[in-house]
Amino acid sequence: MATATGPAVLATAGLTWRVDGGVTIVDAVSIELRAGEFLGVIGPNGAGKTSLFNLITGLRAATAGSVHLLGTEVTRLAPHRRARLGLGRTFQASSVFPSLSVRENVRLAVQAYQGGSLRLWRSAQAFRAVAERADECLATVGLHDRGEQRAGTLAHGEKRKLEIALLLAGSPKVMLLDEPMAGVAAEDVPELVEVIRGLVGHTGGAVLMVEHHMDVILGLADRLAVMHHGALLACDTPDVVMANAVVQEAYLGEQL
Ligand SMILES: Nc1ncnc2c1ncn2[C@@H]1O[C@H](COP(=O)(O)OP(=O)(O)OP(=O)(O)O)[C@@H](O)[C@H]1O
Ligand SMILES: [Mg+2]
């Protein structure tokens, strides 16, 4: 599997989150995600993976360290400013409007990203652009024939695809996926894996993905970052990481 060698599109340096009371949840994590790269993040429950994502997206403020996105320091920027620069994170199911159709959900997301630049006198043209972009996003995740269905009636695997379509609506260059297979029936996993595999190719961007299913992440990732007790234990190609004695030790008693 080729490892991307392009410029870093996302870089954290010494990124740290210490909560009140002095507990360090994310401990001086330095990682680089390169253009076109798929970087998996693994680690036992409570290792700090979601917290790392929260620091990268700006949902939580870092106690120390920095985050650079596409060459710009974003450590103190609000989440929406990071999103505008090209950072996308999968939406949780709760941000899907269940009573609206699949297509309406994606159109709203596209509009939310494009809204600021629309002008009234161009509204018909703008609407067409929004509709086209929404349909592109639906096609990318394989939901083009589900556009009219109410989002609330989608199966789990399809809801996950819709969340990815909402992510694509913002045309992100760096995509963060936190356990996208959670709750998905085993028989629907392979299809979702293929949708996720296609993300880098469709967007030309890069993916950082947390996943507990080892077979899934090993089949997708160019490199693997391993977190344990908030710190980065290893970050290398899957073969090297899986052979690492320290990583195996961290997983003792856990399912690998
Ligand atoms: N707001 C908070 N205040 C205090 N501690 C927190 C807070 N949020 C998370 N934690 C703690 O930080 C640690 C890391 O949590 P986090 O959710 O980042 O882990 P994770 O690696 O994503 O785990 P999982 O694999 O179960 O999703 C946990 O011990 C959790 O209890
Ligand atoms: Mg988590």
Side-chain angles (χ1 to χ4, degrees):
M1 199 177 293
T3 299
T5 52
V9 289
L10 175 72
T12 71
L15 197 59
T16 298
W17 184 42
R18 208 168 291 120
V19 290
D20 298 337
V23 183
T24 302
I25 309 287
V26 175
D27 192 359
V29 171
S30 302
I31 51 167
E32 279 195 352
L33 178 66
R34 311 212 150 264
E37 188 179 30
F38 202 117
L39 179 59
V41 181
I42 62 170
N45 291 115
K49 306 179 294 294
T50 297
S51 301
L52 175 67
F53 275 25
N54 290 340
L55 295 177
I56 292 171
T57 56
L59 216 60
R60 300 281 184 195
T63 317
S66 64
V67 182
H68 280 79
L69 178 65
L70 299 159
T72 302
E73 179 166 7
V74 298
T75 318
R76 316 248 160 259
L77 287 192
H80 71 275
R81 306 249 333 255
R82 300 185 199 201
R84 288 226 174 268
L85 284 173
L87 182 65
R89 174 186 206 160
T90 40
F91 288 73
Q92 295 301 303
S94 57
S95 64
V96 170
F97 295 105
S99 59
L100 294 185
S101 76
V102 167
R103 182 170 287 113
E104 284 164 336
N105 266 282
V106 184
R107 282 185 182 174
L108 279 177
V110 173
Q111 246 168 340
Y113 283 104
Q114 297 189 350
S117 62
L118 298 187
R119 293 196 198 151
L120 271 180
W121 58 270
R122 289 176 58 200
S123 60
Q125 191 188 339
F127 179 80
R128 258 198 311 282
V130 167
E132 274 168 24
R133 178 75 193 125
D135 284 346
E136 265 171 34
C137 296
L138 284 177
T140 301
V141 302
L143 282 181
H144 43 288
D145 56 350
R146 295 302 179 98
E148 300 313 312
Q149 191 172 333
R150 279 199 325 135
T153 65
L154 291 175
H156 257 305
E158 292 170 331
K159 266 191 198 137
R160 294 289 170 174
K161 288 185 193 169
L162 176 55
E163 288 163 21
I164 292 170
L166 296 175
L167 163 82
L168 290 172
S171 304
K173 286 286 171 222
V174 177
M175 293 164 277
L176 270 49
L177 310 179
D178 194 353
E179 298 196 42
M181 305 294 161
V184 175
E187 65 263 31
D188 295 333
V189 166
E191 224 180 283
L192 195 51
V193 166
E194 290 319 309
V195 168
I196 292 171
R197 193 191 306 283
L199 283 180
V200 170
H202 275 291
T203 62
V207 173
L208 188 63
M209 174 169 137
V210 172
E211 185 53 59
H212 279 290
H213 291 70
M214 288 308 293
D215 49 339
V216 167
I217 201 74
L218 287 173
L220 285 170
D222 298 309
R223 287 190 303 146
L224 278 182
V226 187
M227 286 189 73
H228 189 44
H229 295 314
L232 190 67
L233 272 193
C235 187
D236 213 319
T237 56
D239 288 353
V240 172
V241 163
M242 299 313 280
N244 184 321
V246 180
V247 172
Q248 290 176 0
E249 178 79 12
Y251 269 103
L252 274 183
E254 289 269 341
Q255 200 183 353
L256 245 188

